[in-house]
Amino acid sequence: MKRASASFFSSLLGIRTFLLLRRRRRLSAAAAPLSFLRRSSFPHMVSSSSSSSSSMAKVAEEAAEGRYSYNPELRWNTQVEAYFAHAYGAEHFARISKALTRPSCYSCIRVNTLKSSVDAVVEKLKNILDGNDMCNGIEANQVNNQERVSNCNSTSGEAETPIQFLGSSPISKCQYPGLDNVVLVRGSGPHILCYDLTGEPMKEVIVSRKCAEAVLRGAQVYVPGVLACSSHVEKGDKVAVSVAIEQPVEYGGWSVGFTRGTVLQGLQSDPLYRERSGLYIGQGVTSMSRAGIFRASEGVGVEMEDRVYKLPSFNDVLEGEIFLQNLPSIITARVLDPQQGERILDMCAAPGGKTTAIAILMRDKGEVVAIDRSHNKVMEILKLAAEMDLHCIKAYKLDALKSVRRTNEETDVEATVTEDDKSYKPAVGDQVSNTEKCCPNSKIEQNDRKLLSKADLMKNARKMKNGPGRNNSMGGRVEKSKGFMPNSFDRVLLDAPCSALGLRPRLFAGEETLESLRNHAKYQRRMFDQAIQLVRAGGVIVYSTCTINPGENEALVRYALDTYKFLSLASQQPKIGGPGIVGHCELFKETYVEGWLTKSEAELVQRFDPSSSIDTIGFFIAKFDVGPKDT
């Protein structure tokens, strides 16, 4: 009789727990649409054992509270948050901040129209992605994503029509005028994932923030990004993947609070147990054991199977024919409006996306000069140009702050190897000695080819074993420029290094302070001063950034117009983004003052709002016409 009573009351407890969970799920659907509940686990809640019922109730309660979910809150420096709230309005900035934590719902592909056609690329992509579950459109377990669209800022001024796909196909041509070389591939998400909540703590892997941001964009989990792992994880185990986000520490600054290699037990005593609630990005299967993950230096640690956001991967797909690029970046090259036969400078060109876009728009006729201060990045530009079979691109190693040539030397450039490690790679067809084959990272004089000592050989062997060194140089020849003569370019693109606060998904922003934001702006002004000298009268300058910071956007335009009276803002085509920010900023007892734009000026720039229905990264574009410089 007592056993029957115990079983009866246990069953009632299980049913009560189920009803309570269902009620909580309904109530929290609007506030937390990413709650992850395993439906198949509900029948197990009605148990003949009170301890089993209690265990299941605890696990289910954690799920209902949103532990196994993806609902991050972006952390900001307090003063920076106040600054942005002043610029955008508190509600609008809250929407922007939320949108930044999620990837765009589509991938944007620029077609190399010199090697293929848009129709041909669309057909090839359909064949490649046919049967891929990432391209089946909106799945049954996807949370309604209309909230993101309905929360758009009605006064943003951006194109009101969101990105649309024709029919049920996940691949579509871009419908915006002037972007006929762009193909869109639809992703899906956020998804309700079914984690294995059977009473026992699920095996977990915690990854770094940057790793998680890459995974949300479609990447796998590589071993350098794994910070912690459950004990007894073997190859082939299914694991839940969560992310450790930096938290404030007592001495100031931010830290994840534990060291790489920490063992997780799935208990509340685990590091950042509570902080991981709402930060689960999916689940996958381990490619190696726990010991292997923390011993290996490279390779895939977890193959992701179920993701909160599903975006197709385009690694090594149609190389030379397509380039994966954010929509505002594609628009930037269009706004520059390059013409055949012109000489154009891309001041901060790496990795070469905009450089190659400009060359294609010019039909590979003219000269596109690309510069970057990194040897490796110049190599990347040259590699991309070769893949796309573009011959008008010349890439040089040069700091953009030293773009203007200060001497009267006859040549603008000189052929060099990288200065940092003197890596040397013989050109195709060069005779290679046995010494060079053994020690490819050593620079050998071509005239006398001196024999290396045993000490030098051992030193070079250590370099090969330990990697290329501090600068991570790939080796190979690049040309180092001494700068260019004033007024020597028809058009200049300055896609300036910035705070990158418009890139998404972004899970942390607390490292930026008002001082660091101002430093970015000062750096950009110095680069703009160089661009002004290099462009000819009657030419064009296009300035762009991937940040939402007005100090690096509207404030730069204000500086340019006030400093150089021969500059004027020009209209942009295509115009898809919204207007700039009007007015000025005075904060913290007028210790932080910035001038922005007038209403007419704001209509001529182009600002992309990540919370809008277009669903892009945060981005800014300004186009200047250059008048006679003697005025």
Side-chain angles (χ1 to χ4, degrees), residues 472-517:
N472 197 32
S473 174
M474 294 183 293
R477 284 184 180 270
V478 299
E479 288 185 290
K480 179 183 176 183
S481 175
K482 298 177 182 178
F484 307 97
M485 294 298 295
N487 307 311
S488 58
F489 292 94
D490 298 294
R491 300 172 195 264
V492 174
L493 171 61
L494 175 54
D495 185 49
C498 64
S499 57
L501 292 177
L503 296 183
R504 51 190 292 207
R506 171 178 289 276
L507 300 179
F508 178 69
E511 74 275 14
E512 290 291 350
T513 64
L514 286 180
E515 182 180 2
S516 67
L517 293 181

Side-chain angles (χ1 to χ4, degrees), residues 25-38:
R25 186 180 181 186
R26 288 175 177 174
L27 292 175
S28 62
L34 295 177
S35 296
F36 297 90
L37 300 175
R38 182 174 174 84

Side-chain angles (χ1 to χ4, degrees), residues 88 94 97 204 270 291 305 338 387 400 436 446 469 478 480 501 515 536 551-552 581 606 628:
Y88 293 98
S97 187
E204 295 187 31
D270 284 342
E305 289 191 340
E387 285 179 0
E436 288 176 282
Q446 297 299 301
V478 299
K480 179 183 176 183
L501 292 177
E515 182 180 2
R536 66 169 176 82
E552 300 172 73
I581 298 177
Q606 195 164 185

Side-chain angles (χ1 to χ4, degrees), residues 94-115:
R95 292 194 297 270
I96 291 175
S97 187
K98 182 178 180 181
L100 288 174
T101 63
R102 290 150 170 79
S104 299
C105 63
Y106 60 93
S107 298
C108 192
I109 294 174
R110 175 171 55 82
V111 178
N112 180 0
T113 52
L114 299 184
K115 294 188 68 173

